[in-house]
Amino acid sequence: MESNILITLSLAILLTSLLAIETRNLRTATIFYLIHSIFLFLIIVSYAYIMKNPTLYLWGLTCFITKVVIIPLIIWHYVKRVPKIEYRPFIGFAVSIFIVTVLTISLFNLFQQVIDFLAPTEESTQEPIRSLLASAFTIFLIGLYCLITRKDAVKTVIGLAFLENGVHLVLLSLVPNLSETTMIGILTNVTVIIFVLLYLSRTIYEVFGSTDTTKLSELKY
Amino acid sequence: MVESFLPIILFTVPIVGILFVFMFRNIPIKYIRELITLLFQVITLIIGIIITSEVFQGKTLTAANKAFFVDGLSVLMIVLVNVSIILITIYSIKYILKEKELGIISEKRITLYYSLILLFTGTMMWTVTTNHMVMLYVAVEGTTLATALLVAFYRTRASLEAGYKYVLLVVVGITLALLGIVLIFSAAVPHLPEGSHALLLTEVGRISKLIPSNIALLAVVFMIAGFGTKAGLVPFHAWLPDAHAEAPTPISALLSGLVIKVGAYALARTVTIFTAQHHSIIIFIAIMASAGMLIGIFLAWAQDDLKRLLAFHSVSQIAYVFEGLGLGTYMGIYGGLYHLVNHTFFKGLLFLSAGCIMYATRGKRKISELGGLASKMPITAFCFFVGALAMGGVPPFNGFMSKFTIFLAAGQQKLYWAAAISIFTSFLTLGCMVHAGYLIFWKKPAKQVASSNNPEEIREVPFLMWGSMIVLAGLCLLLGIYPQIIHPFLDKATEAILTIWGAGV
C-alpha cells in the first residue's frame, strides 16, 4: 500500500511535467510547474515516512522552500512582464504532444526494464525505488527534450528545472543519507541559476523586446 | 593528514573582501576599490603560500571532517589562480577606468566588477580545496555564476546573449556531471564501512576498483560531457567563443586562463580515478581531444575578430590538457598539468595584448581593420609575439616544453595517431598566430580605416597594463627555459592524482 502511494506520485509527477511543457500559456505552465514541485515535495515526505528516515523531512522542507515557493515566484515574477503565450516551438502542438507522450511511456517502460543496468545496488532494483528511479530518468530526458525543442526562455528554464529535478530524484532514491549542507548547497545553487537566467532574459526583453532564445542570433561562428 | 583551518580561511577571505569593497566604495581615495580588491587577493595568495609550504613538507591538510582537502594538485591551482588573478586585476584598473571615461559603463558597475572578481576568487579557492564530490559540483556552478554577470557586463545585446548562452549551456552540462557523480556515489556506498563519507573523493578513489564497470563507464561519460562543457571541449564548446569575445577583455583572459581550467581540474579529480581500470576511457578522451584540437584550430583560422580567434585557440589548447590528463600515466598527467599552467600564462598574455590593442584603438578588434601597430605599440607587439610563439610550441618558450611532454606521453601509450594530430595542430597554431600577428602589427592598415582614425592617436598603453603583461611574458620564458622552477609543483600535483586512485609512485 505504501509503495503504491510512491508509484502513484511518481506517475503524477510525470504527468504534470508533460502538462507544464505542452501548455502554451506561460502562466498556466508556471502553475503546472508549481503542482509538479508539490508532487516532488510529497514524494520526498512519503519516502521519508516509508523509509523511516527523519533526516529526509529536512530535505523535504528545503525542497519546499526552494522548489515550491521561491522558484515558482521567480518564474511568475518574470512571466508577468512578458507576453502570455510562448514563442512557437520548433515542433507543432499536436505532434509535440504525440512525441512527448510516446517518449514518456516508452522511456518509463524501458527504464523499468533496464534498471538493473543503471541501478548500482540490489535494493534499488526493488519496488518502489524501481518506479521512482524510472520516473527520475524519464523526467531527466523530458527536461532535455524541452530544452532542445522550446525557444521560450520560460520553457527553457522549466526544462532546466526538470533536468535538475530528475537528478534530485535519483539522488533521493539512491543516496537518501545525504548530508544537509550538500542538499542545501544543491538547492540554493539551482535557485540562483534560475534567477540569473531569467534576470538576463528579462534584461534582453526590456532592451530588445523578445525572449525568443533562437532569435539570439547576433553571435555566430 | 593534518587538520587545519587554513583551507576554510582561504576561500572566506575573498568573500569578506566583497563586503569591504561595498562598505568603503564611497571613500574619496583614488582607486579605493581596486586597492581593497588587490589587498584581499594578496592576503589570499599569502595564505596560499603558507599552505604550499605545509604541503611541501609532505603534509596533506584537511578541514571540517575531511570535507576540505589540500594536496599537491590543490596547491598548484591555488598559486596559479592567485598569481594570474592579481595580474589581471592590476591590468583591469586602467582598462575599466577608460571604459568609464568613454561612457560605456557607469561608476556603480565598477564596484560590481571588482566584487564579482573577488567572488570568483572565493569560489575558485573553494573548488580546488573541496573534497566532497557534490560540493565540487556546487563550487563549479559557483564559478559559472560569478563570471556570468561579468560576461554580460556591458549589457549590450551581444554580451547579454553571450551571458545567457554561457549560463544555460554550462549549467546543463554540469547537471549531467552531477548525474554521473550521483551514480558513482550510489555505487560506492555498499563498499564502504558504515558511517564513512562516501561522497569524499579520497574515499571513492580507494574503492574505485569495486565499482561495477557499467556504472563507472556511464558515469565517466556523463562527467566528461559535463566537465567538458565547462572546459569548452568540442562538441560542447558553443558557449566559449561568444563568452570570450563579448566579455570585457581582462575577463576574457580570466575565462580562458582560469574558468575553463575548472573543467580540467574537475576532470583530473574525478575521471582520472577510473583510467587505471578502463583503458577504453583513455581512447575515448584521446578521440575527443583530437577532434577538439582540429576543430578548434580550423575555426580559429576562419576568424577575423581577434578575440574570437583567441577563443577558438582556447578550444584547441584545452584539448591538449584533456589529452594529457586522460592518458592516465605519470608523464601524461604531468604534461597535461604543465600545459594547464602554461596555457593560463600565454593565453592570458595574448588576451591582455588584445585588450591593449582595443584600448589604444578605441575598441577595434577586427584583424582586417588593424595594421601597422608595431612601431606605435612596441611592448604590446613584443608581448603578443611571446604569447603567440609560446602557444605555437616554439622552443624555448613554455608551450614547447609542455606540448612535447604530451607528445611523448601519447607515444608512450602507443597512441601514435593522437601524437601526430597534436603535432600537426601545433604547427597550424603557430601559423595562425604568426599570420594574425603579422597582419596586426606590420601590414599597412586598410585605407578607409587610416582616414577614419587619426593614427597619431594610437599610443602605447599605461604602465600598469604593460607591466602586468611583461610579468606574464617573463613567466612564459622562465617556465620554458628553467622548467625546474615549476617541477616540484607539477610533481607533487601528479603524485596527488596518482595517490588518490591508489596507484602511488
Side-chain angles (χ1 to χ4, degrees):
Chain A
M1 175 9 225
E2 281 160 338
S3 68
N4 278 344
I5 295 177
L6 264 187
I7 296 172
T8 318
L9 280 174
S10 43
L11 290 177
I13 206 171
L14 277 182
L15 186 71
T16 43
S17 47
L18 290 193
L19 287 170
I21 291 179
E22 287 306 327
T23 317
R24 285 293 153 85
N25 188 316
L26 291 177
R27 296 181 181 200
T28 327
T30 315
I31 292 168
F32 278 128
Y33 174 74
L34 177 68
I35 300 172
H36 166 101
S37 308
I38 293 173
F39 278 128
L40 185 76
F41 165 68
L42 288 178
I43 283 184
I44 297 176
V45 172
S46 49
Y47 195 76
Y49 178 72
I50 292 170
M51 296 287 158
K52 301 192 176 47
N53 186 345
T55 52
L56 281 181
Y57 288 115
L58 185 67
W59 187 334
L61 181 72
T62 325
C63 179
F64 185 83
I65 295 169
T66 52
K67 285 190 193 290
V68 182
V69 180
I70 301 177
I71 293 179
L73 271 179
I74 295 173
I75 300 179
W76 188 255
H77 184 78
Y78 173 83
V79 163
K80 273 196 302 186
R81 285 164 177 74
V82 293
K84 270 185 187 166
I85 305 298
E86 80 167 302
Y87 284 90
R88 250 182 78 80
F90 294 111
I91 304 178
F93 188 55
V95 186
S96 181
I97 286 192
F98 178 73
I99 291 179
V100 84
T101 315
V102 171
L103 209 66
T104 312
I105 294 171
S106 49
L107 280 175
F108 188 72
N109 280 321
L110 181 75
F111 284 129
Q112 281 264 10
Q113 279 158 22
V114 300
I115 215 77
D116 303 328
F117 176 78
L118 289 168
T121 52
E122 195 59 41
E123 48 187 37
S124 56
T125 56
Q126 307 301 319
E127 290 292 354
I129 302 183
R130 198 183 178 94
S131 295
L132 203 59
L133 261 185
S135 59
F137 283 111
T138 315
I139 289 173
F140 187 82
L141 289 175
I142 291 176
L144 214 54
Y145 168 82
C146 179
L147 279 172
I148 295 167
T149 54
R150 305 295 139 144
K151 298 174 180 175
D152 200 279
V154 175
K155 286 300 178 76
T156 314
V157 165
I158 290 180
L160 192 67
F162 286 163
L163 205 66
E164 205 280 330
N165 286 357
V167 179
H168 217 79
L169 279 176
V170 177
L171 205 62
L172 175 75
S173 40
L174 294 183
V175 247
N177 302 316
L178 204 63
S179 68
E180 298 89 51
T181 41
T182 320
M183 180 184 76
I184 291 171
I186 296 179
L187 285 165
T188 319
N189 217 335
V190 174
T191 315
V192 178
I193 287 163
I194 286 177
F195 175 76
V196 169
L197 271 177
L198 287 180
Y199 167 78
L200 287 175
S201 176
R202 202 180 78 208
T203 321
I204 296 175
Y205 179 74
E206 277 165 3
V207 184
F208 312 104
S210 164
T211 56
D212 182 345
T213 49
T214 50
K215 275 196 194 145
L216 304 180
S217 55
E218 193 139 303
L219 305 166
K220 288 209 180 85
Y221 285 97
Chain B
M1 291 200 194
V2 184
E3 188 80 12
S4 164
F5 55 91
L6 286 175
I8 296 177
I9 294 187
L10 186 70
F11 81 86
T12 37
V13 163
I15 309 282
V16 172
I18 299 172
L19 292 178
F20 278 82
V21 170
F22 268 96
M23 272 182 343
F24 296 113
R25 66 181 189 278
N26 290 330
I27 288 182
I29 300 172
K30 217 181 174 192
Y31 303 129
I32 182 73
R33 288 162 297 198
E34 290 83 343
L35 287 174
I36 294 175
T37 309
L38 276 171
L39 175 73
F40 278 90
Q41 282 168 351
V42 170
I43 295 174
T44 317
L45 180 64
I46 291 170
I47 299 171
I49 289 170
I50 296 171
I51 291 179
T52 309
S53 65
E54 298 259 316
V55 169
F56 270 78
Q57 286 163 19
K59 296 177 193 161
T60 37
L61 304 184
T62 57
N65 205 1
K66 284 195 193 168
F68 292 91
F69 176 81
V70 181
D71 59 5
L73 180 58
S74 318
V75 161
L76 176 75
M77 295 297 288
I78 289 169
V79 174
L80 177 72
V81 168
N82 280 312
V83 168
S84 43
I85 219 160
I86 287 174
L87 290 173
I88 289 170
T89 310
I90 292 173
Y91 179 95
S92 295
I93 297 173
K94 287 282 175 187
Y95 191 90
I96 293 296
L97 213 61
K98 170 123 176 195
E99 309 265 88
K100 199 192 106 189
E101 280 163 14
L102 292 176
I104 300 171
I105 51 173
S106 63
E107 179 72 28
K108 263 187 191 166
R109 295 189 71 74
I110 300 183
T111 317
L112 182 71
Y113 180 89
Y114 288 106
S115 41
L116 284 173
I117 283 191
L118 277 173
L119 180 66
F120 172 75
T121 319
T123 51
M124 198 76 195
M125 291 299 108
W126 184 20
T127 309
V128 298
T129 51
T130 187
N131 187 21
H132 203 292
M133 283 183 100
V134 175
M135 277 301 168
L136 180 67
Y137 152 84
V138 175
V140 170
E141 290 278 51
T143 61
T144 309
L145 289 170
T147 41
L149 293 179
L150 285 173
V151 170
F153 192 67
Y154 290 141
R155 291 168 150 256
T156 60
R157 167 147 203 171
S159 68
L160 284 167
E161 279 180 29
Y164 182 82
K165 213 170 157 181
Y166 170 53
V167 180
L168 185 64
L169 290 177
V170 173
V171 165
V172 171
I174 300 288
T175 309
L176 287 178
L178 178 64
L179 187 59
I181 289 173
V182 170
L183 285 176
I184 292 276
F185 177 32
S186 54
V189 168
H191 302 295
L192 286 165
E194 197 65 33
S196 66
H197 306 272
L199 272 172
L200 300 185
L201 286 163
T202 40
E203 301 282 319
V204 173
R206 272 201 298 126
I207 53 133
S208 61
K209 292 184 185 71
L210 300 171
I211 292 174
S213 63
N214 52 358
I215 300 280
L217 289 177
L218 190 72
V220 162
V221 169
F222 278 132
M223 286 194 287
I224 292 177
F227 296 133
T229 314
K230 179 82 187 174
L233 191 70
V234 171
F236 316 108
H237 67 287
W239 64 270
L240 192 145
D242 297 341
H244 282 56
E246 300 309 327
T249 313
I251 299 305
S252 311
L254 189 100
L255 283 173
S256 198
L258 302 173
V259 174
I260 65 172
K261 302 298 157 49
V262 178
Y265 170 82
L267 187 98
R269 276 275 186 237
T270 53
V271 174
T272 48
I273 292 176
F274 298 96
T275 47
Q277 283 100 51
H278 306 284
H279 192 70
S280 48
I281 297 174
I282 298 177
I283 308 286
F284 181 69
I285 294 182
I287 292 171
M288 298 278 282
S290 305
M293 284 174 203
L294 290 176
I295 292 172
I297 194 68
F298 287 143
L299 287 170
W301 272 97
Q303 303 303 319
D304 184 35
D305 183 330
L306 179 60
K307 280 173 79 176
R308 287 184 87 78
L309 178 135
L310 292 175
F312 277 109
H313 276 297
S314 289
V315 172
S316 170
Q317 295 298 313
I318 198 75
Y320 279 91
V321 179
F322 267 63
E323 183 171 306
L325 293 175
L327 286 172
T329 56
Y330 177 86
M331 200 179 197
I333 295 174
Y334 187 98
L337 292 175
Y338 196 3
H339 200 64
L340 185 150
V341 174
N342 291 344
H343 182 252
T344 300
F345 291 145
F346 62 65
K347 189 51 73 66
L349 180 61
L350 283 169
F351 267 115
L352 295 186
S353 315
C356 290
I357 294 166
M358 286 171 69
Y359 181 93
T361 60
R362 303 210 163 185
K364 277 208 182 66
R365 57 185 216 210
K366 290 238 185 312
I367 295 174
S368 54
E369 289 176 5
L370 296 164
L373 293 178
S375 53
K376 290 164 200 136
M377 307 171 72
I379 301 172
T380 308
F382 169 74
C383 290
F384 185 90
F385 271 91
V386 169
L389 295 178
M391 187 158 77
V394 176
F397 296 99
N398 56 357
F400 167 75
M401 304 300 280
S402 52
K403 279 183 177 181
F404 198 67
T405 319
I406 294 172
F407 303 156
L408 289 180
Q412 218 178 32
Q413 284 280 54
K414 304 272 184 296
L415 295 170
Y416 297 115
W417 55 271
I421 290 175
S422 324
I423 295 171
F424 176 65
T425 310
S426 195
F427 280 117
L428 285 183
T429 308
L430 181 62
C432 182
M433 288 315 295
V434 171
H435 180 236
Y438 166 74
L439 291 182
I440 295 166
F441 291 106
W442 279 291
K443 196 202 63 165
K444 287 218 165 70
K447 257 184 199 152
Q448 74 274 22
V449 179
S451 57
S452 71
N453 190 355
N454 181 10
E456 294 307 314
E457 248 178 52
I458 299 173
R459 268 179 287 130
E460 188 56 83
V461 292
F463 165 72
L464 282 180
M465 286 170 80
W466 67 254
S468 47
M469 278 161 57
I470 287 288
V471 174
L472 279 173
L475 281 170
C476 283
L477 264 167
L478 197 67
L479 294 189
I481 297 170
Y482 295 110
Q484 296 91 318
I485 296 172
I486 190 89
H487 171 77
F489 279 93
L490 294 172
D491 184 52
K492 276 269 175 208
T494 315
E495 257 180 48
I497 293 178
L498 292 177
T499 320
I500 277 195
W501 47 268
V505 262

